[in-house]
């Protein structure tokens, strides 16, 4: 008799799955939970009635956790149920500025520091009783302060080490500003995930007539630091790439950074080609909009701006103005960080939902299976492009 062929998800789970989305990540966590509930309900396991599979299929994997505050602004972490022996996944959005709390009668908006402290409070409330603690932090806390250029703190490295010392086993983040920060915790799990597949999928849905070839499409990196991201996508799609580098005034510091004097372009002719500008984040948006404007001046056709994290620290007015001026055609970001309703209502905005992807990662890790294929979506991108090209050909034949 031939041996039974097993899949990674046929194995026993590490422990009873528990998902703890902090208040900053409630919406995303609820979507992730819904996917896993559906999959496990439909999944047929021969050993589902095994004692080790107890609690495998449940109506919800969300665990009640609160971080109430005193009138002084101090807080504490509280768990509403037992997590002994659980495989926990804590989700936090450190960029969610919409949440507020009272501080001596004043209304305070929560900062990344507040969110990080709340994460540590919940880990402390777990008290080492869980089988495993995993932190899913889409925007890596203090990731922009990842290297030392003068006498200054290394906040991201310190934060990672602090989480590990508290008993966290794995840290999962998305599009880390500099993945080398994982060198601060070399003996522990650290994964940085790229949303390239979701960007391509969202772009095809918004622009069904988009051609994927080197004659009509080009990938652009808005700065030297993001070239690896652009090179990866250009190689997968089989098209050219270009990049801008920033000339800065290093004698001046404004808002914590050296101001940009000019953007210089390196690459082939962009005239008549569509551009995909890809970066890890849009903060104020100055750099991305300046790059889009310069590409338009060079004769580029449509401009699609893609960023994993849309922070929009100075609001959306300048994006509205740039769109009216024809500087760009589409703006794509993920739902990994807080999205104001104003953004979701923009005609030029494309929301790339990451909840299913996160659910796949959590479900796979709970079975202690490899997530290598999830981290490298080349096959899925190739299938998506092949399907898109086929639909383009069929559409032309019908016309």
């Amino acid at each position: 008799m031939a041996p039974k062929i097993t899949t990674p998800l046929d194995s026993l789970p590490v422990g009873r799955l528990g998902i703890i989305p902090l208040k900053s990540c409630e919406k995303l966590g609820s979507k992730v939970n819904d996917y896993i509930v559906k999959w496990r309900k439909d999944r047929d396991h021969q050993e589902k009635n095994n004692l080790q599979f107890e609690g495998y299929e449940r109506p919800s994997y969300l665990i009640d956790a609160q971080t109430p505050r005193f009138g002084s602004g101090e807080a504490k972490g509280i768990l509403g149920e037992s997590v002994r022996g659980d495989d926990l996944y804590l989700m936090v959005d450190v960029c969610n500025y919409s949440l507020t709390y009272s501080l001596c009668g004043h209304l305070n908006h929560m900062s990344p520091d507040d969110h990080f402290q709340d994460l540590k409070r919940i880990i402390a409330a777990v008290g080492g009783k869980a089988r495993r603690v995993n932190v899913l932090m889409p925007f890596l806390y203090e990731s922009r302060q990842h290297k030392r250029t003068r006498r200054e703190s290394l906040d991201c490295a310190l934060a990672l080490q602090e989480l590990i010392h508290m008993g966290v086993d794995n840290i999962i983040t998305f599009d880390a500003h500099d993945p080398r920060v994982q060198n601060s915790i070399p003996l522990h799990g650290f994964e940085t995930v790229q949303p390239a597949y979701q960007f391509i999928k969202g772009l095809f849905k918004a622009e069904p007539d988009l051609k994927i070839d080197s004659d009509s499409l080009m990938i652009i990196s808005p700065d030297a630091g993001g070239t690896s991201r652009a090179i990866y996508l250009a190689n997968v799609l089989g098209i050219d790439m270009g990049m801008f580098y920033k000339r800065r005034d290093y004698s001046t510091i404004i808002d914590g950074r050296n101001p940009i004097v000019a953007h210089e372009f390196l690459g082939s002719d962009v005239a008549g080609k569509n551009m995909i500008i890809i970066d890890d984040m849009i903060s104020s948006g100055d750099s991305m909009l300046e790059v889009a404007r310069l590409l338009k001046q060079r004769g580029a056709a449509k401009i699609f701006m893609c960023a994993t994290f849309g922070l929009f620290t100075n609001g959306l007015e300048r994006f509205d103005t740039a769109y009216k001026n024809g500087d760009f055609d589409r703006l794509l970001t993920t739902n990994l960080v807080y999205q104001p309703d104003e953004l979701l209502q923009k005609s030029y905005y494309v929301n790339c939902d990451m909840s299913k992807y996160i659910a796949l990662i959590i479900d796979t890790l709970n079975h202690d299976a490899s997530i290598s294929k999830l981290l490298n979506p080349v096959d899925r991108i190739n299938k998506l492009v092949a399907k898109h090209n086929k639909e383009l050909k069929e559409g032309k034949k019908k016309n």
Side-chain angles (χ1 to χ4, degrees):
M1 185 177 178
K4 179 180 178 288
I5 299 174
T6 61
T7 65
L9 299 187
D10 285 333
S11 60
L12 288 171
V14 173
R16 180 177 177 269
L17 176 61
I19 303 173
I20 305 180
L22 273 71
K23 196 172 181 182
S24 61
C25 222
E26 275 183 343
K27 190 174 180 181
L28 183 61
S30 179
K31 283 187 174 183
V32 169
N33 176 66
D34 290 344
Y35 276 114
I36 298 179
V37 167
K38 183 181 182 303
W39 294 339
R40 294 200 171 184
K41 184 179 179 181
D42 298 339
R43 190 175 294 151
D44 183 27
H45 270 295
Q46 287 185 344
E47 299 182 58
K48 192 175 277 190
N49 295 323
N50 189 315
L51 183 62
Q52 291 174 294
F53 268 87
E54 183 185 4
Y56 182 79
E57 184 185 323
R58 304 202 305 276
S60 176
Y61 300 94
L62 298 178
I63 290 174
D64 178 39
Q66 305 292 330
T67 52
R69 289 184 179 266
F70 302 100
S72 60
E74 298 167 289
K76 60 181 177 180
I78 303 173
L79 292 177
E81 57 189 278
S82 173
V83 294
R84 186 178 293 275
D86 285 4
D87 184 25
L88 296 181
Y89 293 81
L90 283 68
M91 299 174 63
V92 60
D93 173 13
V94 298
C95 295
N96 192 336
Y97 59 87
S98 69
L99 301 180
T100 60
Y101 63 92
S102 177
L103 174 60
C104 298
H106 299 281
L107 190 67
N108 251 21
H109 283 265
M110 289 188 70
S111 70
D113 291 345
D114 291 319
H115 289 300
F116 186 68
Q117 286 300 120
D118 278 355
L119 171 67
K120 293 194 295 180
R121 290 178 178 116
I122 295 300
I123 295 172
V126 171
K129 302 300 188 295
R131 178 73 54 83
R132 189 171 67 174
V133 176
N134 311 274
V135 168
L136 202 148
M137 187 187 297
F139 185 95
L140 187 60
Y141 173 70
E142 288 290 356
S143 57
R144 299 175 77 176
Q145 187 52 32
H146 61 284
K147 62 182 179 181
R148 181 177 281 155
T149 56
R150 56 177 70 84
R151 292 188 183 275
E152 56 189 12
S153 57
L154 290 170
D155 295 53
C156 190
L158 287 172
L160 292 177
Q161 290 179 355
E162 193 169 5
L163 291 178
I164 294 304
H165 292 156
M166 292 186 74
V168 173
D169 295 279
N170 297 300
I171 297 170
I172 303 153
T173 189
F174 283 78
D175 212 348
H177 195 62
D178 188 340
R180 290 174 296 183
V181 75
Q182 66 188 290
N183 292 337
S184 62
I185 49 168
L187 300 180
H188 292 81
F190 180 95
E191 301 293 349
T192 177
V193 188
Q194 296 288 338
Y197 172 77
Q198 284 75 14
F199 281 146
I200 298 301
K201 187 177 179 180
L203 193 55
F204 285 170
K205 189 174 181 180
E207 298 285 334
D209 297 327
L210 186 67
K211 291 183 180 179
I212 308 296
D213 58 59
S214 55
D215 294 326
S216 56
L217 187 63
M218 195 169 175
I219 305 293
I220 301 293
S221 173
D223 55 39
T227 50
S228 60
R229 194 179 296 107
I231 289 171
Y232 173 82
L233 198 55
N235 286 342
V236 171
L237 296 178
I239 57 179
D240 292 335
M241 73 150 284
M243 65 161 281
F244 284 84
Y245 68 90
K246 300 170 183 175
R247 283 200 288 117
R248 294 181 180 271
D249 179 6
Y250 287 100
S251 65
T252 309
I253 297 177
I254 299 175
D255 294 333
R257 62 181 182 175
N258 303 109
I260 299 167
V261 177
H263 290 83
E264 304 292 350
F265 180 69
L266 296 173
S268 58
D269 186 19
V270 304
K273 295 181 181 179
N274 297 320
M275 303 283 119
I276 298 177
I277 309 173
I278 187 162
D279 206 358
D280 61 334
M281 75 176 78
I282 293 175
S283 183
S284 65
D286 291 344
S287 294
M288 189 74 93
L289 290 174
E290 176 68 8
V291 165
R293 187 179 63 79
L294 291 173
L295 288 171
K296 279 290 186 181
Q297 288 179 358
R298 291 173 175 267
K302 288 187 174 183
I303 303 245
F304 312 115
M305 302 191 302
C306 301
T308 307
F309 307 106
L311 306 181
F312 306 109
T313 55
N314 291 342
L316 296 168
E317 292 81 5
R318 62 190 64 195
F319 288 89
D320 293 339
T321 302
Y323 179 69
K324 288 177 183 176
N325 293 338
D327 291 342
F328 74 95
D329 295 86
R330 297 285 182 184
L331 171 63
L332 295 85
T333 69
T334 69
N335 62 338
L336 292 172
V337 292
Y338 170 70
Q339 298 167 300
D341 291 336
E342 181 189 3
L343 173 66
L344 297 172
Q345 293 167 4
K346 299 295 182 185
S347 60
Y348 54 77
Y349 180 67
V350 179
N351 178 26
C352 300
D353 186 9
M354 300 296 294
S355 55
K356 186 176 182 180
Y357 196 20
I358 293 173
L360 279 169
I361 292 172
I362 290 177
D363 197 22
T364 305
L365 285 176
N366 181 235
H367 286 267
D368 207 21
S370 172
I371 59 171
S372 298
K373 289 186 178 180
L374 292 175
L375 298 179
N376 188 10
V378 174
D379 291 340
R380 285 183 295 154
I381 292 176
N382 288 336
K383 288 178 183 178
L384 191 64
V385 171
K387 181 183 176 183
H388 177 74
N389 289 336
K390 183 180 178 182
E391 289 173 353
L392 272 180
K393 286 182 180 180
E394 289 177 352
K396 285 182 179 180
K397 287 180 180 179
K398 288 178 182 178
N399 293 333

